[in-house]
Amino acid sequence: MNLKKTKWWQKSVIYQIYPLTFADANGDGKGDLKGIIRRLDYLNDGNPNSQTSLGIDAIWLSPINQSPMIDNGYDVSDYRDICPTFGTLADFEKLLNEAHQRGIKVIMDLVINHTSNQHNWFIESSSSRDNPKSDWYLWQDPAPDGGVPNNWLSYFGGSGWTFNQQRGQYYYHTFNYNQPDVNWRNPDVKAAIYDMIRFWLNKGVDGFRLDASSVYSKDQYFRDNPMKFGATDKNDYNNQHHLYNKNLPDNHQIIKEIRQLIDEYDDRVILGETFIDNRLYDSVVFYGVNNDELHLPFTFEFAFSPWYPAYLQQEIEKKELLTPAGASPTYFLDNHDIPRHLSRWIECSLCTNPKAIAKAAATILLTVRGTPLLYYGQEIGMVNHLNIPPEKARDKAVANPQSGESVPSRDGARTPMQWDDSAQAGFSFGKNVEPWLPVNENYLDVNVENKLKQDDSILNFYKSLLRVRKNSEALQVGRWRTLIYYPYEHLAYLRETEHESVLILINFSYEKDLGLDESIEIPMWEVLLSNKRKTGKIIDLPEKLQPFEVSILRKS
């Protein structure tokens, strides 16, 4: 792949911000757009030689649209306005301008599988069976016995159907009952959503991350999903084959139409969450037959892999084999829906040193072929907050009061960004503020200001790694090739273009023989970055890897 011919998202690093807990400018304890603006220089100040800036290329903002915040923004009540929690439309326009001045692209979350039940569309639709928006949601009569229309379940637990007294009918919701699914078979719904997308593109947004992009379309006959062989619990979402409420063929037509709309504008991108329980071979089809659907579909297999070389390489090799020609894989370790990777992987690793795991994980994420996504705080080593009192819990959507069921809270991965060791970790620019979620107790040590001062910190390693990646054609667009086919305790792979070869060595354990295939010609190597070797030094290929070594070498 030619670096000059690639699109910006194929060589960029995208940084996800959860706005509620990133930075609070007005002192109300909740993050906002002005807070993000005040922290932009930390992300990228426009200076490639900056000593304090990360140097990321784009930010993805979790939802900031008008919302009653039952699901913290993933329940939109007005697509064309900003939730007052975060500021105003003028604040967003300023954020766009300030970000673009620094070379930062801005990607918005686009939640279009469902709306809030407080959206005007749903209020009108639910008012009667004969109003102009009567068919804008998925309404069905009760079953002959008066119960739910079919066996479709909510991902958050219990039935996916909720009864509406005004219409005397049930409406379907993939998620919480406050989030009714829209009817994508209605052309008026499509037109309204597509017009809204143009509204934001015309403002200069650089792209969208499509939330739950595999569940837009549902079976027009509302047939029951078949149960998996041997399953006994009919109320368990994972016990169904979701043939009729997920990933239907016409779902891809919807995404293709959104892509066509996006392509009317220069240099815009669409990412997509292809839903948490899709397998990789299902998700790959979201690129489209002719790379005409999502630019960057992402799945959870890599993030959910055990911290073990063979499993991680298996996921990389799958993506290498299945990603269409001309397209880019997408990788992430953390996001707003899953526990942070250091909390997950330290439990399944022989290594009890979080710093070693963090540096190794960062190296894999930022040196495999594809577009990496960072989640705020992972660059300083943030971990899940495990002691949030019930009265301070904010993830209300996962509880289903109708069924009494719930899925695990996601609050622990959404706590405030830890900027310094002052009150509330510097999250709020106000004083004596109680933040929306409690700050993790480790903030006195794990914070940006502190880690910038430590030469061997996770943060400074990320900064160096991001600079190495930005200055390497091979790491941005080169081919990926493994040098160990059955990795046991270390990874060794090459990134190559016609002009550059970069070797990545990662040891997951104690001192080990490197043990590469003897048929591979290995010249002298320059150390680009290492936690064990001196940067800039020219070395022979090492015969042994030092304990928990991470080294990035360039053919000299």
Side-chain angles (χ1 to χ4, degrees), residues 41 49 79 87 91 113 181 269 286 301 384 441 486 530 556:
D41 281 345
N49 299 313
Y79 284 111
D91 293 333
N113 170 69
D181 286 23
V269 67
F286 282 83
E301 290 84 4
N384 259 44
E441 295 97 329
Y486 302 101
S530 176
S556 177

Side-chain angles (χ1 to χ4, degrees), residues 402-413:
Q402 296 174 320
S403 67
E405 299 181 41
S406 64
V407 298
S409 172
R410 298 162 293 182
D411 284 339

Side-chain angles (χ1 to χ4, degrees), residues 213-259:
S213 62
S214 60
V215 294
Y216 296 158
S217 181
K218 283 81 176 178
D219 180 52
Q220 61 182 322
Y221 303 112
F222 294 92
R223 287 170 281 195
D224 280 355
N225 284 324
M227 297 295 292
K228 293 180 180 178
F229 178 75
T232 57
D233 185 354
K234 295 182 179 180
N235 293 315
D236 186 337
Y237 183 92
N238 295 315
N239 284 345
Q240 290 187 359
H241 291 291
H242 294 276
L243 298 185
Y244 297 117
N245 64 340
K246 180 191 288 190
N247 203 11
L248 275 67
D250 44 356
N251 198 91
H252 294 277
Q253 179 60 31
I254 295 169
I255 297 175
K256 189 173 180 178
E257 291 174 8
I258 296 173
R259 170 66 178 272

Side-chain angles (χ1 to χ4, degrees), residues 198 257 259-266 268:
R198 288 189 177 92
E257 291 174 8
R259 170 66 178 272
Q260 290 170 346
L261 191 163
I262 293 287
D263 286 347
E264 294 173 11
Y265 295 76
D266 291 335
R268 312 298 173 93

Side-chain angles (χ1 to χ4, degrees), residues 424-442:
Q424 312 306 341
F427 157 71
S428 179
F429 291 97
K431 295 182 179 180
N432 302 317
V433 172
E434 182 174 358
W436 182 74
L437 275 172
V439 175
N440 196 307
E441 295 97 329
N442 69 1

Side-chain angles (χ1 to χ4, degrees), residues 36-55:
I36 296 173
I37 292 170
R38 293 177 70 166
R39 294 295 189 181
L40 283 177
D41 281 345
Y42 165 74
L43 300 174
N44 191 336
D45 60 9
N47 177 6
N49 299 313
S50 173
Q51 297 302 304
T52 56
S53 172
L54 275 178

Side-chain angles (χ1 to χ4, degrees), residues 66 130 195 267 273 419 544:
Q66 182 70 263
D130 56 4
D195 191 48
D267 238 13
E273 175 193 36
W419 295 102
K544 292 183 179 292

Side-chain angles (χ1 to χ4, degrees), residues 284-318:
V284 164
V285 302
F286 282 83
Y287 286 104
V289 176
N290 299 304
N291 285 339
D292 55 1
E293 292 184 37
L294 298 175
H295 294 105
L296 299 173
F298 61 85
T299 58
F300 290 72
E301 290 84 4
F302 179 80
F304 282 171
S305 171
W307 182 244
Y308 188 75
Y311 285 94
L312 293 165
Q313 180 158 306
Q314 175 179 277
E315 297 303 332
I316 297 167
E317 289 178 339
K318 282 182 183 177

